[in-house]
Amino acid sequence: LVELQICPFTKSDTKSGHGLAEFGVPVANIAYPFSNASKNNLPLLFYHVWLSIFQMVRLGPTKVSSILLAAPAFDDDFPLWSGPMFAMLETSVAAIMEAQAEIGVVCFHPHYKIPNEQSGFPGFGQMHSITKLQSFVVVVDDATKTLTRNDIAAGGAWQRRTPHATINVLRADQLQQAEGRRNTGLLYARNIRVLTDLGSEKLQTDLHYEQNLV
């Protein structure tokens, strides 16, 4: 996803924050903590997440730009990861007002699927609904009208698929600067086109390869 430039502010797998220097956002390291928590031990997972967050905040934006925390025990249970677990994490962040002002959390998973539109706005940490993504695609690029609803759903989902169940922690102030800098509709439409052109079979092959890396 780095090579495909799915995130315009991440140019490598070790650092992020590129292109935001004029807004006072430094390029800094991406932290890759690991949680060995099992699905029966959510408290341990949350301990690992919050420990990583505290370390990121303590080190400051020049040392750590963001976190990608992997929890492989959850790789086979997307409903648990994106549902109860992530809802509890978002609630805990919102409950700590100082944390909410400092960070944002985003959900990634090897089996990520677009949230059900009937449940309403899924929140910042989840991908936009298929209808919203479809509106980006149609407005930005007439040529992408040839994409089906399933194509758009797949293109959206692949933007949130990682080799392992992952929590992405971002700095809130940097998020605000990035949101102001990028054209959201153009970015999502471009990403959907790039990913659908590659095809799910190729993307799945690459995902399996990365999952098997030692």
Side-chain angles (χ1 to χ4, degrees), residues 132-182:
K132 185 67 172 178
L133 292 174
Q134 204 165 24
S135 72
F136 291 150
V137 166
V138 170
V139 169
V140 172
D141 187 355
D142 289 341
T144 58
K145 288 182 179 178
T146 58
L147 294 177
T148 67
R149 187 175 173 87
N150 286 341
D151 290 334
I152 293 171
W158 275 109
Q159 294 179 59
R160 292 294 182 87
R161 289 187 182 172
T162 45
H164 300 291
T166 298
I167 295 168
N168 183 202
V169 183
L170 303 164
R171 294 184 181 276
D173 57 343
Q174 295 183 7
L175 276 172
Q176 292 173 357
Q177 297 293 350
E179 287 292 332
R181 178 71 181 273
R182 75 183 189 184

Side-chain angles (χ1 to χ4, degrees), residues 81-94:
W81 185 256
S82 68
M85 186 290 298
F86 197 74
M88 284 189 285
L89 178 59
E90 287 187 309
T91 299
S92 67
V93 171

Side-chain angles (χ1 to χ4, degrees), residues 70-84:
F74 295 82
D75 288 357
D76 63 350
D77 199 338
F78 175 67
L80 173 62
W81 185 256
S82 68

Side-chain angles (χ1 to χ4, degrees), residues 35-48 71 73-74 80-81 85 88:
S35 176
N36 61 355
S38 69
K39 291 189 288 185
N40 296 322
N41 197 350
L42 287 179
L44 179 61
L45 172 65
F46 290 133
Y47 167 75
H48 290 150
F74 295 82
L80 173 62
W81 185 256
M85 186 290 298
M88 284 189 285

